[in-house]
C-alpha cells in the first residue's frame, strides 16, 4: 500500500516492511556480539515499541536474555505535549544489570532522557539504548543512542507500532504524513 488513511489524515509509505525487517536483523546481529555474556535485560517502552521489541527479541541469541516492559505516555494527537506520565513501572531488580532500552522513536529525546533517569535510579551496571526511529533535527537533549534503525526527517509518522490517536499501530510498514495535508 502506497498511501493509507488513518482517521482524518493521509499518510505515504516511507519505510517498507522488508527494510524494517532487514534493519532489525542487522541490529540483532550487532547486539548478539555486544551483549554476549552480559545476561541483558531488555526494557520495551510501551506502547509504541512493542512490535520492534517483539521482532528484535526473537533474534537475540545471547544467553540469559530477558525482557520487561515500562509504560510512558507523552503524546496527544500529532504534537508532543512535553509532559511525560509514568503509567507502569517495573518490579525487576535492575541493580548491576545490563539494561537495553527498546524505544520506537526518539523525537525531542525528552521521553528517552526521562526514561534513562528513572532506570539509572535502579543502579544498573550499564544502559544501552536502541531506537527504531530517530529524528535528528528534532532532538533537544544530548543522548548516546547505541543502536538506531533509521534516521528520518522531522515529520509525523505512523505504523509498525506507532499510532496516530491510537490508530495505525497495526500497519507493517512506516508511513509519513502526506505533505499535501496538514
Ligand atoms: P520525544 O519525547 O522524544 O519527543 O517523543 C517520544 C515519544 O513520542 C515516542 O516514544 C512516541 O511515542 C511519540 N512520537 C514522537 N514522534 C512521533 C511520530 O512521528 N509519530 C508517532 N506516532 N509518535 C511519535
Ligand atoms: Mg515510544
Amino acid at each position: 500500500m502506497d498511501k493509507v488513511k488513518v482517521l482524518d489524515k493521509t499518510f505515504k509509505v516511507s519505510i517498507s516492511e522488508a527494510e524494517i525487517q532487514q534493519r532489525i536483523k542487522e541490529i540483532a546481529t550487532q547486539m548478539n556480539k555486544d551483549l554476549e555474556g552480559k545476561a541483558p535485560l531488555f526494557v520495551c517502552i510501551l506502547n509504541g515499541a512493542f512490535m520492534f521489541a517483539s521482532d528484535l527479541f526473537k533474534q537475540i541469541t545471547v544467553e540469559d536474555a530477558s525482557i520487561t516492559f515500562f509504560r510512558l505516555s507523552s503524546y496527544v494527537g500529532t504534537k508532543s505535549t512535553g509532559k511525560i506520565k509514568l503509567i507502569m513501572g517495573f518490579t525487576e531488580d535492575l541493580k548491576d544489570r545490563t539494561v537495553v532500552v527498546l524505544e520506537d522513536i526518539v523525537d525531542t529525546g525528552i521521553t528517552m532522557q526521562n526514561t534513562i533517569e528513572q532506570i539509572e535510579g535502579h543502579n544498573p551496571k550499564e544502559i544501552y539504548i536502541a531506537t527504531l526511529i530517530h529524528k535528528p533535527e528534532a532532538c533537544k537533549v544530548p543522548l548516546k543512542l547505541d543502536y538506531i534503525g533509521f534516521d528520518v526527517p522531522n515529520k509525523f509518522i505512523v505504523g509498525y507500532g506507532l499510532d496516530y490517536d491510537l490508530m495505525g499501530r497495526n500497519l507493517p510498514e512506516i508511513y509519513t504524513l502526506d505533505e499535501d495535508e496538514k
Side-chain angles (χ1 to χ4, degrees):
M1 270 191 299
D2 270 4
K3 285 197 179 193
V4 286
K5 198 157 165 101
V6 181
L7 299 173
D8 59 329
K9 300 208 188 300
T10 308
F11 293 83
K12 284 192 291 204
V13 73
S14 51
I15 309 174
S16 71
E17 185 175 8
E19 284 172 311
I20 296 170
Q21 295 306 328
Q22 174 58 31
R23 188 73 191 109
I24 289 176
K25 200 181 275 179
E26 291 166 5
I27 292 173
T29 301
Q30 188 60 47
M31 284 181 169
N32 285 331
K33 287 188 194 137
D34 298 346
L35 305 172
E36 189 53 56
K38 291 176 179 276
L41 173 62
F42 287 74
V43 176
C44 167
I45 309 300
L46 296 172
N47 293 330
F50 77 96
M51 225 177 252
F52 173 45
S54 161
D55 284 342
L56 178 78
F57 196 59
K58 278 182 276 191
Q59 300 189 50
I60 296 300
T61 53
V62 297
E63 217 179 314
D64 296 331
S66 56
I67 188 163
T68 188
F69 303 87
F70 195 70
R71 185 161 179 204
L72 300 161
S73 158
S74 66
Y75 265 55
V76 176
T78 59
K79 296 252 154 52
S80 175
T81 59
K83 292 194 198 91
I84 287 117
K85 219 166 65 178
L86 172 65
I87 300 174
M88 182 178 109
F90 37 59
T91 49
E92 283 81 1
D93 188 2
L94 302 194
K95 196 167 162 12
D96 301 327
R97 297 290 307 269
T98 293
V99 171
V100 185
V101 178
L102 301 180
E103 180 58 295
D104 51 357
I105 182 165
V106 172
D107 182 14
T108 63
I110 292 167
T111 306
M112 183 57 82
Q113 192 184 44
N114 193 281
T115 306
I116 296 303
E117 277 167 17
Q118 298 201 33
I119 293 174
E120 274 169 352
H122 294 263
N123 301 311
K125 181 175 161 203
E126 55 186 345
I127 303 173
Y128 288 85
I129 306 176
T131 185
L132 181 66
I133 305 288
H134 178 222
K135 290 184 185 171
E137 297 156 30
C139 213
K140 287 188 182 148
V141 295
L143 283 172
K144 175 188 73 79
L145 301 175
D146 301 283
Y147 307 95
I148 297 173
F150 301 93
D151 279 330
V152 304
N154 194 7
K155 291 181 187 151
F156 189 78
I157 60 173
V158 287
Y160 197 74
L162 288 149
D163 72 309
Y164 165 46
D165 277 349
L166 307 178
M167 298 299 142
R169 292 195 200 273
N170 48 333
L171 296 164
E173 309 86 7
I174 289 176
Y175 292 81
T176 305
L177 188 60
D178 203 333
E179 288 293 355
D180 314 327
E181 294 204 32
K182 281 284 167 284

